Amino acid sequence: MKEIAEFKYLPIDSIKLNHDINESNTNIDYIIDEIKDKGLIRPLIVSKINNEFILKLGVRRFLAFKKLNHNNIFCGIINGDAELDEINAIALCYTELDEMLSFKDKSQALSYLIKENDGDLSKVSSKTNISIEEINTILNYKIMLESIKKNISLISKANEDFLIQKSSIVDP
C-alpha cells in the first residue's frame, strides 16, 4: 500500500480535478462557512503522477478554497496513482484524516487493508487504531444495509393485515 510521502501547501491551480466531477452540482456553502470560521481542518489527498497533482480526496474542500479565491491549500501527497479504496485505506491509517471518511468509505478501506494484510485483523487494528470489534461492526455494514433494504421492500409489498400481524412479534 502506498503512503503519504509528504504534507505541504500546493498552489490550487496546480491541482487537477477528476474529469467526472461536476463542480456546479456540488453544495459547498456549509464548508465555506466552516473554513471561514475554523480554517482548513483536514488536508486534501492528491496523487503526484508525472509531476501533476490529481485530487483524490477532499473535492468539496478544494472547491470551497477555490471559491474563496485562496492561492494555496494544504495537501497530503501520494507518489503515483491509487484507486479510491487504497486512498481511503491510507486516510483511515491517519487519525487526523479518518474523519473525512463515510461509514461506507471506512468499510471499503478496511476490506482493502484486510486483503493487504492477509486477513490479519490484529495488523489492521494496529495500523488504524480501530478495535477488532469495531472493525467487524464496520465490515458488517453491507450485510446490515442489504438486510434493511430487503425488509423495507418486503414491508412495502405487504398488506396491512400482514404488517399488523408481524409488528406484534418485532423486538424493537
Short mmCIF file of all heavy atoms in Angstrom, two decimals, residues 130-154:
data_model
loop_
_atom_site.label_atom_id
_atom_site.label_comp_id
_atom_site.label_asym_id
_atom_site.label_seq_id
_atom_site.Cartn_x
_atom_site.Cartn_y
_atom_site.Cartn_z
N ILE A 130 -8.23 1.13 15.28
CA ILE A 130 -9.64 0.76 15.40
C ILE A 130 -9.68 -0.63 15.99
O ILE A 130 -8.98 -1.54 15.53
CB ILE A 130 -10.34 0.77 14.02
CG1 ILE A 130 -10.29 2.17 13.40
CG2 ILE A 130 -11.79 0.30 14.14
CD1 ILE A 130 -10.81 2.24 11.98
N SER A 131 -10.48 -0.82 17.04
CA SER A 131 -10.55 -2.13 17.68
C SER A 131 -11.09 -3.18 16.72
O SER A 131 -11.83 -2.85 15.78
CB SER A 131 -11.44 -2.07 18.93
OG SER A 131 -12.80 -1.93 18.53
N ILE A 132 -10.74 -4.43 16.96
CA ILE A 132 -11.21 -5.53 16.11
C ILE A 132 -12.74 -5.60 16.15
O ILE A 132 -13.39 -5.83 15.12
CB ILE A 132 -10.57 -6.86 16.55
CG1 ILE A 132 -9.07 -6.83 16.21
CG2 ILE A 132 -11.25 -8.05 15.86
CD1 ILE A 132 -8.28 -8.02 16.71
N GLU A 133 -13.32 -5.34 17.31
CA GLU A 133 -14.78 -5.35 17.43
C GLU A 133 -15.40 -4.28 16.53
O GLU A 133 -16.38 -4.53 15.82
CB GLU A 133 -15.18 -5.12 18.89
CG GLU A 133 -16.68 -5.17 19.12
CD GLU A 133 -17.01 -4.96 20.59
OE1 GLU A 133 -16.84 -5.93 21.37
OE2 GLU A 133 -17.42 -3.84 20.94
N GLU A 134 -14.83 -3.09 16.54
CA GLU A 134 -15.36 -2.01 15.70
C GLU A 134 -15.12 -2.31 14.21
O GLU A 134 -15.96 -2.00 13.37
CB GLU A 134 -14.72 -0.67 16.07
CG GLU A 134 -15.37 0.50 15.36
CD GLU A 134 -14.81 1.86 15.78
OE1 GLU A 134 -14.02 1.94 16.73
OE2 GLU A 134 -15.19 2.84 15.12
N ILE A 135 -13.98 -2.92 13.90
CA ILE A 135 -13.72 -3.32 12.51
C ILE A 135 -14.83 -4.26 12.03
O ILE A 135 -15.37 -4.08 10.94
CB ILE A 135 -12.33 -4.00 12.38
CG1 ILE A 135 -11.23 -2.96 12.54
CG2 ILE A 135 -12.20 -4.73 11.03
CD1 ILE A 135 -9.83 -3.53 12.64
N ASN A 136 -15.16 -5.26 12.85
CA ASN A 136 -16.21 -6.19 12.46
C ASN A 136 -17.56 -5.50 12.30
O ASN A 136 -18.32 -5.81 11.38
CB ASN A 136 -16.31 -7.33 13.48
CG ASN A 136 -15.18 -8.32 13.32
OD1 ASN A 136 -14.75 -8.63 12.21
ND2 ASN A 136 -14.65 -8.81 14.43
N THR A 137 -17.85 -4.54 13.16
CA THR A 137 -19.11 -3.78 13.04
C THR A 137 -19.14 -3.01 11.72
O THR A 137 -20.14 -3.04 11.00
CB THR A 137 -19.26 -2.80 14.21
OG1 THR A 137 -19.31 -3.54 15.43
CG2 THR A 137 -20.52 -1.96 14.07
N ILE A 138 -18.05 -2.35 11.39
CA ILE A 138 -17.98 -1.59 10.15
C ILE A 138 -18.08 -2.51 8.93
O ILE A 138 -18.77 -2.20 7.96
CB ILE A 138 -16.70 -0.73 10.10
CG1 ILE A 138 -16.75 0.35 11.18
CG2 ILE A 138 -16.49 -0.11 8.71
CD1 ILE A 138 -15.44 1.08 11.41
N LEU A 139 -17.42 -3.66 9.00
CA LEU A 139 -17.45 -4.59 7.88
C LEU A 139 -18.84 -5.19 7.66
O LEU A 139 -19.19 -5.55 6.54
CB LEU A 139 -16.43 -5.70 8.07
CG LEU A 139 -14.98 -5.26 7.96
CD1 LEU A 139 -14.06 -6.42 8.30
CD2 LEU A 139 -14.68 -4.72 6.57
N ASN A 140 -19.61 -5.28 8.72
CA ASN A 140 -20.97 -5.81 8.59
C ASN A 140 -21.94 -4.78 8.02
O ASN A 140 -23.11 -5.05 7.84
CB ASN A 140 -21.48 -6.32 9.94
CG ASN A 140 -20.82 -7.62 10.31
OD1 ASN A 140 -20.51 -8.44 9.46
ND2 ASN A 140 -20.58 -7.82 11.60
N TYR A 141 -21.42 -3.60 7.70
CA TYR A 141 -22.22 -2.52 7.15
C TYR A 141 -23.02 -2.97 5.92
O TYR A 141 -24.22 -2.75 5.84
CB TYR A 141 -21.29 -1.36 6.78
CG TYR A 141 -21.79 -0.41 5.72
CD1 TYR A 141 -22.69 0.59 6.04
CD2 TYR A 141 -21.37 -0.53 4.40
CE1 TYR A 141 -23.15 1.47 5.08
CE2 TYR A 141 -21.83 0.34 3.43
CZ TYR A 141 -22.72 1.33 3.77
OH TYR A 141 -23.18 2.18 2.82
N LYS A 142 -22.36 -3.62 4.98
CA LYS A 142 -23.03 -4.04 3.75
C LYS A 142 -24.12 -5.06 4.04
O LYS A 142 -25.21 -5.00 3.47
CB LYS A 142 -22.02 -4.62 2.76
CG LYS A 142 -21.12 -3.59 2.15
CD LYS A 142 -20.15 -4.21 1.19
CE LYS A 142 -19.17 -3.19 0.67
NZ LYS A 142 -18.15 -3.77 -0.17
N ILE A 143 -23.84 -5.98 4.93
CA ILE A 143 -24.83 -7.01 5.29
C ILE A 143 -26.03 -6.36 5.95
O ILE A 143 -27.18 -6.67 5.61
CB ILE A 143 -24.19 -8.07 6.22
CG1 ILE A 143 -23.07 -8.80 5.47
CG2 ILE A 143 -25.24 -9.04 6.75
CD1 ILE A 143 -22.18 -9.63 6.36
N MET A 144 -25.78 -5.44 6.89
CA MET A 144 -26.88 -4.74 7.57
C MET A 144 -27.70 -3.92 6.57
O MET A 144 -28.93 -3.93 6.60
CB MET A 144 -26.35 -3.81 8.66
CG MET A 144 -25.78 -4.54 9.86
SD MET A 144 -25.29 -3.43 11.21
CE MET A 144 -24.04 -2.43 10.44
N LEU A 145 -27.03 -3.24 5.66
CA LEU A 145 -27.71 -2.41 4.67
C LEU A 145 -28.59 -3.26 3.76
O LEU A 145 -29.74 -2.91 3.50
CB LEU A 145 -26.69 -1.63 3.84
CG LEU A 145 -27.22 -0.56 2.91
CD1 LEU A 145 -28.00 0.49 3.68
CD2 LEU A 145 -26.08 0.09 2.14
N GLU A 146 -28.08 -4.38 3.30
CA GLU A 146 -28.87 -5.27 2.44
C GLU A 146 -30.07 -5.83 3.20
O GLU A 146 -31.17 -5.95 2.65
CB GLU A 146 -28.01 -6.40 1.88
CG GLU A 146 -27.02 -5.95 0.82
CD GLU A 146 -27.67 -5.20 -0.33
OE1 GLU A 146 -28.70 -5.65 -0.85
OE2 GLU A 146 -27.14 -4.13 -0.70
N SER A 147 -29.89 -6.16 4.45
CA SER A 147 -30.99 -6.66 5.28
C SER A 147 -32.08 -5.59 5.44
O SER A 147 -33.27 -5.89 5.34
CB SER A 147 -30.45 -7.09 6.64
OG SER A 147 -31.50 -7.48 7.48
N ILE A 148 -31.65 -4.36 5.68
CA ILE A 148 -32.61 -3.26 5.84
C ILE A 148 -33.37 -3.04 4.53
O ILE A 148 -34.60 -2.90 4.52
CB ILE A 148 -31.89 -1.97 6.28
CG1 ILE A 148 -31.41 -2.12 7.72
CG2 ILE A 148 -32.79 -0.75 6.13
CD1 ILE A 148 -30.45 -1.05 8.17
N LYS A 149 -32.66 -3.04 3.40
CA LYS A 149 -33.30 -2.87 2.10
C LYS A 149 -34.32 -3.98 1.85
O LYS A 149 -35.42 -3.72 1.36
CB LYS A 149 -32.26 -2.88 0.98
CG LYS A 149 -31.44 -1.63 0.88
CD LYS A 149 -30.45 -1.77 -0.26
CE LYS A 149 -29.51 -0.61 -0.37
NZ LYS A 149 -28.51 -0.82 -1.45
N LYS A 150 -33.94 -5.20 2.16
CA LYS A 150 -34.83 -6.35 1.95
C LYS A 150 -36.09 -6.20 2.80
O LYS A 150 -37.20 -6.42 2.32
CB LYS A 150 -34.10 -7.65 2.30
CG LYS A 150 -34.92 -8.90 2.10
CD LYS A 150 -34.13 -10.13 2.48
CE LYS A 150 -35.02 -11.35 2.46
NZ LYS A 150 -34.33 -12.53 2.96
N ASN A 151 -35.91 -5.83 4.06
CA ASN A 151 -37.06 -5.67 4.95
C ASN A 151 -37.98 -4.53 4.51
O ASN A 151 -39.21 -4.66 4.56
CB ASN A 151 -36.60 -5.46 6.40
CG ASN A 151 -36.06 -6.74 7.00
OD1 ASN A 151 -36.47 -7.83 6.63
ND2 ASN A 151 -35.14 -6.61 7.93
N ILE A 152 -37.40 -3.44 4.05
CA ILE A 152 -38.21 -2.33 3.56
C ILE A 152 -39.00 -2.76 2.33
O ILE A 152 -40.18 -2.45 2.19
CB ILE A 152 -37.34 -1.09 3.27
CG1 ILE A 152 -36.85 -0.49 4.58
CG2 ILE A 152 -38.10 -0.05 2.44
CD1 ILE A 152 -35.83 0.61 4.42
N SER A 153 -38.34 -3.49 1.46
CA SER A 153 -39.01 -3.98 0.25
C SER A 153 -40.16 -4.91 0.61
O SER A 153 -41.25 -4.81 0.04
CB SER A 153 -38.00 -4.71 -0.63
OG SER A 153 -38.64 -5.26 -1.74
N LEU A 154 -39.92 -5.80 1.57
CA LEU A 154 -40.99 -6.72 1.99
C LEU A 154 -42.15 -5.95 2.62
O LEU A 154 -43.32 -6.26 2.35
CB LEU A 154 -40.44 -7.75 2.99
CG LEU A 154 -39.51 -8.81 2.43
CD1 LEU A 154 -38.92 -9.64 3.56
CD2 LEU A 154 -40.26 -9.71 1.44
#
